[in-house]
């Protein structure tokens, strides 16, 4: 995974990436730059110009990360290869952090629910042809 993260700055330099792509790259680099423990208590929300907005799970984490923001910005920009981020704003949003921690498998519907969803997607003509 780290090898993939290291290729992202090159993509930013080689291609004129738009704000959405730049935001996605910053989000992808966040876990690596913040570290596993900090990334587990945070969730990047938005990049607005050179400001990164990050959700944190509590006031205590907000205070601690504000104290560490200079180091985190340095690490982010070191991985990104330029001064993409100049300021990090930490907002308390426990729900965003909880949702960011969820694994993709956590959101998969049960087999029964999936079959009901699929049945609603199949047209009567297709169902008749399949039978």
């Amino acid at each position: 995974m780290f090898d993939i993260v290291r290729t992202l700055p090159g993509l930013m330099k080689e291609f004129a990436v738009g704000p959405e792509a730049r935001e996605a790259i910053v989000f992808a680099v966040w876990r690596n730059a913040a570290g596993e423990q900090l990334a587990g208590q945070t969730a990047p929300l938005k990049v607005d110009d050179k400001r990164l907005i990050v959700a944190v799970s509590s006031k205590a984490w907000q205070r601690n990360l504000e104290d560490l923001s200079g180091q985190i910005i340095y690490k982010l920009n070191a991985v990104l290869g330029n001064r993409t981020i100049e300021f990090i704003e930490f907002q308390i949003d426990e729900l965003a952090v909880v949702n960011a921690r969820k694994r993709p498998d956590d959101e998969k519907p049960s087999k029964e629910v999936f079959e009901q969803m699929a049945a609603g997607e199949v047209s009567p003509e297709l169902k008749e042809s399949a039978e």
Side-chain angles (χ1 to χ4, degrees):
M1 180 66 169
F2 184 70
D3 290 336
I4 292 171
V5 170
R6 289 192 327 209
T7 64
L8 295 175
L11 293 173
M12 279 179 53
K13 288 178 187 173
E14 189 165 331
F15 302 103
V17 298
E20 295 86 10
R22 187 168 53 102
E23 181 175 79
I25 291 169
V26 170
F27 287 9
V29 170
W30 173 256
R31 179 169 291 282
N32 184 280
E36 288 297 318
Q37 183 179 10
L38 295 181
Q41 298 297 322
T42 62
L45 298 175
K46 184 178 181 179
V47 174
D48 185 14
D49 194 26
K50 293 184 176 264
R51 174 188 295 257
L52 173 61
I53 300 170
V54 177
V56 294
S57 58
S58 69
K59 182 73 172 169
W61 277 106
Q62 183 184 38
R63 273 184 263 140
N64 289 334
L65 292 174
E66 285 171 349
D67 291 341
L68 296 173
S69 65
Q71 294 173 32
I72 297 169
I73 291 168
Y74 176 82
K75 287 180 181 181
L76 270 172
N77 289 331
V79 174
L80 293 168
N82 58 37
R83 290 179 49 106
T84 302
I85 301 299
E86 292 181 356
F87 184 79
I88 303 177
E89 176 182 333
F90 296 99
Q91 297 179 351
I92 300 170
D93 187 343
E94 188 174 357
L95 184 59
V97 174
V98 168
N99 287 336
R101 283 192 229 156
K102 286 184 180 177
R103 294 180 158 173
D105 292 342
D106 294 344
E107 296 181 22
K108 287 185 180 177
S110 67
K111 183 179 178 183
E112 295 78 21
V113 171
F114 180 76
E115 287 174 352
Q116 289 174 350
M117 291 169 49
E121 296 290 321
V122 177
S123 69
E125 296 83 18
L126 181 59
K127 186 175 181 179
E128 184 179 319
S129 294
E131 289 174 353

